[in-house]
Amino acid sequence: MGTTTMRINLRWQKDQTPVQVVANPRAAKDGFTNCSLGNGQTFELNWRDSLKPDGSLSQCPACHCRELFSRRDFPQRTGLAIVAIGAIAAMVLWSLGQVIWGFAALGAVTLIDALIVPFVGRCLVCYRCRSEFRDLPIPRSHPGWDLATGEKYR
Ligand SMILES: [Zn+2]
């Protein structure tokens, strides 16, 4: 699957400021990667029990939680900017009496948003520790955020 390194926003506890880690699970010695937490401490990622043959994850290598959800890895700010530009354009057009073009601007923004979805990567997030895993194969069927599951880990 091309990339061999995984980008991880590691949280070893919930609500912790994440530490950026780049790991190569397949090259990890004995199936473990030792990450530096930057404060002299290290943290062990367990690939041995977490990595599936296809490179995706069966559990969180940080906290061993078996439940992860997938989500669009879309920079929130970019999304907001696109929507804001569309809204401003629509208001300006409406103020000029261009009602149809105002709606067209909103429609265009919605369309842009929908069109880029397939090109936006997805990431896996651990329900328990909220570590985020990027640059790994994620099966299309992998479920997204589920409220009931999320409640279990609050
Ligand atoms: Zn976890």
Side-chain angles (χ1 to χ4, degrees), residues 28-44:
K29 196 171 175 289
D30 302 325
F32 291 90
T33 298
N34 265 311
C35 316
S36 169
L37 298 182
N39 54 1
Q41 286 180 287
T42 57
F43 187 86
E44 204 166 56

Side-chain angles (χ1 to χ4, degrees), residues 13-151:
Q13 270 168 26
K14 206 175 168 183
D15 303 327
Q16 191 110 28
T17 311
V19 172
Q20 303 260 357
V21 175
V22 176
N24 186 341
R26 290 188 198 282
K29 196 171 175 289
D30 302 325
F32 291 90
T33 298
N34 265 311
C35 316
S36 169
L37 298 182
N39 54 1
Q41 286 180 287
T42 57
F43 187 86
E44 204 166 56
L45 290 173
N46 180 347
W47 303 113
R48 198 190 59 196
D49 302 320
S50 312
L51 201 68
K52 290 199 229 173
D54 65 357
S56 59
L57 294 174
S58 59
Q59 65 172 21
C60 172
C63 75
H64 306 260
C65 173
R66 295 196 68 83
E67 291 179 294
L68 302 110
F69 63 91
S70 70
R71 70 164 164 76
R72 274 171 76 182
D73 195 12
F74 189 63
Q76 214 93 68
R77 255 185 231 163
T78 313
L80 283 175
I82 292 173
V83 172
I85 289 166
I88 291 165
M91 280 190 283
V92 169
L93 288 163
W94 284 331
S95 73
L96 296 171
Q98 303 287 341
V99 177
I100 291 170
W101 284 108
F103 282 111
L106 285 183
V109 165
T110 311
L111 191 67
I112 290 167
D113 194 54
L115 284 176
I116 55 179
V117 166
F119 302 101
V120 172
R122 294 190 304 155
C123 64
L124 281 184
V125 187
C126 171
Y127 274 105
R128 187 195 281 159
C129 70
R130 291 307 168 109
S131 290
E132 296 167 359
F133 305 90
R134 294 186 170 78
D135 294 344
L136 74 165
I138 301 171
R140 280 221 156 270
S141 57
H142 195 103
W145 163 262
D146 176 68
L147 185 65
T149 313
E151 287 292 321

